[in-house]
Amino acid sequence: MQRIESHASYGGVQEVWQHESRVLGCSMRFGVYLPPQLQLGPCPVLYWLSGLTCNEQNFITKSGIQQHAAAHGLIVVAPDTSPRGEGVANADSYDLGQGAGFYLNATQAPWASHYRMHDYVVDELPALVERQFPATGLRSVSGHSMGGHGALVVALRNPGRYRSVSAFSPIVAPSRVPWGQKAFAAYLGEQREHWREWDACELIATARERLPLLVDQGGADEFLTRELQPELLEQACDAQAHPLLLRRREGYDHSYYFIASFLAEHMAHHAQALQAK
């Protein structure tokens, strides 16, 4: 582990670390905010999963997360969105390859040797964080767009691992929209039955935990009707009586201006769950 950035912020420290990932077979970076409450003892961790084209920098520099994390005493970890580097498979388009890991475990060549972002986010990264930093072992997860898809999927696939989950503008049914169909066909192959394991709307039907889902969606989001379709998540949750709070925010788009506007409410949601006895 090598610390490559450190900035004082709201009484805590915003850092960026680099390490060699065994799961991904490459060097990875992640941002970690360490709140001032760590002076009194270990704190719980919120994992943030970013969207297409992003890396570890977007969320920590654009959202204003540090103020909210300091107010609630939460460590916030923001990993990169995919494996990267020479020798890691890539594509010419922004929605496949490096910067577009989709938080799944790829099974198809040439992606399978590196693209295992689910195992990285769920297992390897938390183990590393909990060894390196004074974390309690309590976790929550959130994300945006592709990362919103990732947050919902890792929570639904891993019952008991997270205290809470939320998402901004998530891709809720990747099996049914162009972004997801392109990525799933490449990473998982053309047999669509394998796609269900990575689709939040499909996972709701077999969920073994009724972890409430908190979702905010901008009404002026340019990707709303083509790629996001939150009504599909609403229908899936209604069919299974799975708790969902879906808030449609009129006038808001897909940008970090939207995320920053409602991030305080998401942080309060996670803090309440993480600090509950």
Side-chain angles (χ1 to χ4, degrees), residues 131-142:
R131 286 197 307 269
Q132 182 72 23
F133 306 103
T136 63
L138 300 178
R139 312 171 196 92
S140 289
V141 63
S142 186

Side-chain angles (χ1 to χ4, degrees), residues 25-268:
C26 66
S27 179
M28 289 292 286
R29 293 184 177 186
F30 64 90
V32 56
Y33 179 73
L34 304 171
Q37 289 86 344
L38 287 176
Q39 299 172 27
L40 304 176
C43 293
V45 183
L46 172 69
Y47 290 86
W48 172 270
L49 307 182
S50 289
L52 288 166
T53 75
C54 294
N55 57 29
E56 81 287 345
Q57 291 288 331
N58 297 72
F59 183 63
I60 66 175
T61 58
K62 293 181 177 181
S63 69
I65 184 60
Q66 295 81 8
Q67 179 179 5
H68 308 302
H72 293 292
L74 301 183
I75 298 170
V76 177
V77 175
D80 201 346
T81 54
S82 78
R84 295 184 192 265
E86 190 174 346
V88 176
N90 202 7
D92 292 333
S93 56
Y94 77 94
D95 52 359
L96 187 68
Q98 295 185 31
F102 268 84
Y103 303 101
L104 50 72
N105 293 335
T107 59
Q108 303 298 302
W111 313 102
S113 58
H114 294 284
Y115 283 75
R116 302 186 62 81
M117 285 298 293
H118 172 272
D119 286 358
Y120 177 72
V121 166
V122 172
D123 297 317
E124 186 180 32
L125 182 59
L128 184 67
V129 166
E130 289 164 22
R131 286 197 307 269
Q132 182 72 23
F133 306 103
T136 63
L138 300 178
R139 312 171 196 92
S140 289
V141 63
S142 186
H144 170 235
S145 194
M146 178 186 72
H149 143 76
L152 296 175
V153 166
V154 301
L156 290 166
R157 284 176 58 97
N158 298 277
R161 189 151 184 81
Y162 302 98
R163 285 290 190 93
S164 55
V165 57
S166 74
F168 290 87
S169 315
I171 306 170
V172 301
S175 299
R176 289 184 262 180
V177 299
W179 273 342
Q181 291 168 343
K182 178 178 180 178
F184 283 12
Y187 297 145
L188 304 172
E190 296 291 348
Q191 295 185 8
R192 292 190 172 224
E193 62 266 26
H194 299 314
W195 297 8
R196 294 178 181 176
E197 302 172 40
W198 307 101
D199 186 307
C201 285
E202 297 289 343
L203 290 169
I204 289 291
T206 57
R208 291 184 287 121
E209 180 184 32
R210 290 291 190 247
L211 192 65
L213 311 181
L214 171 62
V215 175
D216 272 297
Q217 173 62 62
D221 191 317
E222 60 269 41
F223 304 111
L224 178 59
T225 57
R226 175 181 166 88
E227 305 287 0
L228 306 180
Q229 301 184 27
E231 65 276 5
L232 297 178
L233 181 64
E234 203 166 37
Q235 292 164 13
C237 288
D238 285 347
Q240 301 297 325
H242 193 109
L244 167 68
L245 177 57
L246 171 60
R247 303 185 294 198
R248 291 174 170 86
R249 306 291 194 173
E250 293 308 315
Y252 287 88
D253 59 21
H254 200 71
S255 71
Y256 267 85
Y257 296 109
F258 168 51
I259 296 170
S261 297
F262 302 105
L263 186 57
E265 296 175 33
H266 283 241
M267 291 297 287

